[in-house]
Amino acid sequence: MAVGSPKSGKSTFTGRLLNRYLTGQGKSARPVPAVYYLDLDPAKPEFTPHGQVSLVAVRSLDLGPSFTHFSVPTSSLSAGQNETIRSHPVPSNLTNYRDHYRSCAEDLFLTYKTLQSHNPLVPLLITIPGSLYDSDFDFLMSLLVRFKPHHVIHLGDFQESDTDDATKLHALQTAASQYRGAVHEITSHVPSYPSMRTESELRAMQMQSYFHFRSANMNGETPSTWSAAPMTKHVPWEFCFEETEERMQDFAGFAMYTEPIEAISLVHALNGSVVQIVQSTSSTVPACYTSLPRTNRHRIPYFPKSGRTGIVEPLDPRTSQLICTALVRGFDAARKVVQLLIPKTHENLLYTLSPERTIFVGGCCDTPDWAFVEEVHATAVVERDGSRCALGAPWVQDGFLVDNMGYLDTVRRVRKFQT
């Protein structure tokens, strides 16, 4: 389990440790076929789009940024691919959903314990948000005591540590010693140059990559591929939100994991947003799934806020499973349908959905601004040998342009003139 402040190098360390497990270390340590990765950082996940916590079976090396590798559902799994075993939607702001976050972490950990009973040699790596270390250390300690990791990796700048850091380190050592665990101090890895992308831009790149993903790498024989076509070219799936003469209702309703939203504004908040498709038998879902309250004008079903907490009661993670992430393309009020754009790698999962158990969870992901400008970027073309060719992947430049850039990842000296 890796802990530390934000930007202390936890992701870099866990990525290198993950690769060491998969490749081994000569005769002293043999490689393992897979590593279980318990990702509890909904804002910066490694193998899934943001807005969720997950348990992933990692089988391939982590050699690129997070937006270049994804895990796939079990139904689409091929040899050597990373597999999403179980996941739950969680908002990045845990202020109102702290208990839900704990329940999700507990459910994922129990899932790992079940898998461990069949294969005890597969290790588990746990990542914790840096924000918990800085602002909610007591909550982090409760997770530590529950998981009881054999090794706690504490990353930080120990030469400039203050009283607060020393107190936290002592608490980690005390808790780990109670179950014979060990705490290891590693100096944080600070990049020499500031990142070229902000955290929100990286999340947008990862979500864009998720929706454009087409095929995964299989034993290194076939490279991963993405579609450069904008989302406007994708054929949407249609879900009926109220029974008509031609169709039954296809899902229970929308559950918003945010601050309370008035029913009159719900359609505007959902239109063009990213939602999570969840299957659940939680008691929060009424037995008659068509009996949820609806908006006055469009009759869209939604989960009401709780009178006890003032927010929408989250689904019980023990009886719920996240199916996939989807983009709301729009509402057709006349036909009583909502149109969703689904990643091609997850479309086969939708054929087995049970309407009375299907919930669309909103409020866990950023607004997909990238989806509204893709059409403009898709029409951009470059000249090559007198011919015109479209750009390649959605988040990279064309190879012809890159070849003419010179060296990449290099600090350039720019002469400035005063006028």
Side-chain angles (χ1 to χ4, degrees):
M1 179 175 175
V3 300
S5 300
K7 300 184 182 302
S8 60
K10 297 185 298 297
S11 299
T12 302
F13 172 80
T14 53
R16 293 182 177 182
L17 181 59
L18 176 70
N19 292 341
R20 177 56 64 196
Y21 272 121
L22 294 175
T23 58
Q25 194 170 4
K27 296 182 179 179
S28 60
R30 308 303 300 171
V32 297
V35 175
Y36 291 124
Y37 195 94
L38 180 53
D39 198 335
L40 298 180
D41 192 347
K44 295 176 59 178
E46 190 67 26
F47 298 98
T48 62
H50 69 274
Q52 59 183 279
V53 293
S54 60
L55 177 65
V56 179
V58 182
R59 298 183 177 91
S60 60
L61 296 179
D62 181 6
L63 299 177
S66 56
F67 57 82
T68 61
H69 53 74
F70 282 107
S71 56
V72 298
T74 305
S75 59
S76 306
L77 190 65
S78 300
Q81 293 183 354
N82 300 331
E83 173 189 3
T84 302
I85 299 174
R86 191 168 177 80
S87 56
H88 300 293
V90 173
S92 299
N93 186 357
L94 302 178
T95 303
N96 296 325
Y97 291 91
R98 197 164 173 262
D99 293 337
H100 174 63
Y101 177 82
R102 187 199 304 271
S103 299
C104 292
E106 173 78 12
D107 177 74
L108 295 176
F109 182 70
L110 292 177
T111 302
Y112 159 73
K113 297 296 289 184
T114 302
L115 297 172
Q116 186 191 33
S117 62
H118 301 289
N119 193 350
L121 298 180
V122 178
L124 173 71
L125 296 182
I126 306 174
T127 59
I128 300 291
S131 58
L132 291 185
Y133 180 87
D134 281 352
S135 59
D136 203 347
F137 187 75
D138 291 338
F139 184 52
L140 186 151
M141 289 299 298
S142 66
L143 296 177
L144 175 72
V145 173
R146 175 63 186 93
F147 298 151
K148 294 181 175 59
H150 295 101
H151 302 280
V152 180
I153 313 300
H154 180 224
L155 295 99
D157 189 355
F158 304 108
Q159 294 181 352
E160 299 181 2
S161 60
D162 53 16
T163 305
D164 184 53
D165 290 331
T167 302
K168 291 178 179 179
L169 178 59
H170 177 71
L172 290 172
Q173 293 173 338
T174 302
S177 63
Q178 294 177 355
Y179 59 84
R180 298 181 180 180
V183 177
H184 309 272
E185 300 178 43
I186 296 180
T187 303
S188 60
H189 172 73
V190 180
S192 302
Y193 305 104
S195 175
M196 298 176 61
R197 303 287 183 181
T198 63
E199 297 294 342
S200 60
E201 288 175 336
L202 290 173
R203 287 197 299 270
M205 293 172 70
Q206 190 168 9
M207 189 66 76
Q208 185 182 19
S209 177
Y210 173 77
F211 277 98
H212 287 271
F213 197 45
R214 284 296 174 267
S215 63
N217 187 6
M218 184 172 63
N219 294 333
E221 298 175 359
T222 304
S224 299
T225 59
W226 286 262
S227 169
M231 300 300 290
T232 53
K233 305 298 182 182
H234 294 202
V235 179
W237 286 67
E238 294 187 340
F239 291 84
C240 185
F241 56 77
E242 187 177 24
E243 183 178 353
T244 64
E245 294 181 358
E246 293 81 16
R247 294 182 60 172
M248 300 289 290
Q249 185 171 327
D250 293 324
F251 66 101
F254 290 93
M256 301 299 292
Y257 289 3
T258 60
E259 295 292 332
I261 298 177
E262 296 296 332
I264 193 174
S265 304
L266 184 62
V267 64
H268 305 293
L270 288 169
N271 197 17
S273 67
V274 175
V275 297
Q276 317 276 20
I277 300 180
V278 177
Q279 286 268 273
S280 178
T281 57
S282 172
S283 59
T284 307
V285 185
C288 181
Y289 69 100
T290 59
S291 62
L292 285 172
R294 297 175 180 270
T295 60
N296 293 331
R297 183 177 179 182
H298 299 297
R299 302 283 299 165
I300 298 174
Y302 65 93
F303 286 74
K305 64 181 180 180
S306 170
R308 178 178 59 88
T309 61
I311 59 175
V312 174
E313 201 70 31
L315 302 170
D316 188 349
R318 295 172 297 180
T319 57
S320 304
Q321 168 68 13
L322 192 154
I323 304 300
C324 71
T325 302
L327 175 63
V328 180
R329 183 179 184 271
F331 290 86
D332 189 337
R335 298 171 52 229
K336 302 294 185 181
V337 299
V338 55
Q339 297 178 337
L340 299 183
L341 299 177
I342 310 295
K344 292 296 183 181
T345 53
H346 292 70
E347 284 187 338
N348 59 335
L349 300 177
L350 302 187
Y351 294 105
T352 59
L353 293 180
S354 299
E356 66 276 6
R357 297 172 51 197
T358 303
I359 301 96
F360 297 158
V361 177
C364 297
C365 302
D366 298 339
T367 302
D369 298 333
W370 51 268
F372 309 133
V373 297
E374 279 191 331
E375 184 73 34
V376 178
H377 289 286
T379 58
V381 294
V382 294
E383 296 288 343
R384 181 190 302 175
D385 300 330
S387 60
R388 298 165 66 85
C389 63
L391 298 179
W395 32 257
V396 297
Q397 280 287 11
D398 180 82
F400 177 73
L401 294 178
V402 173
D403 291 339
N404 289 279
M405 286 182 181
Y407 293 101
L408 298 179
D409 196 20
T410 302
V411 178
R412 293 174 172 81
R413 296 183 182 274
V414 180
R415 181 172 297 176
K416 299 181 181 180
F417 297 91
Q418 292 183 354
T419 58

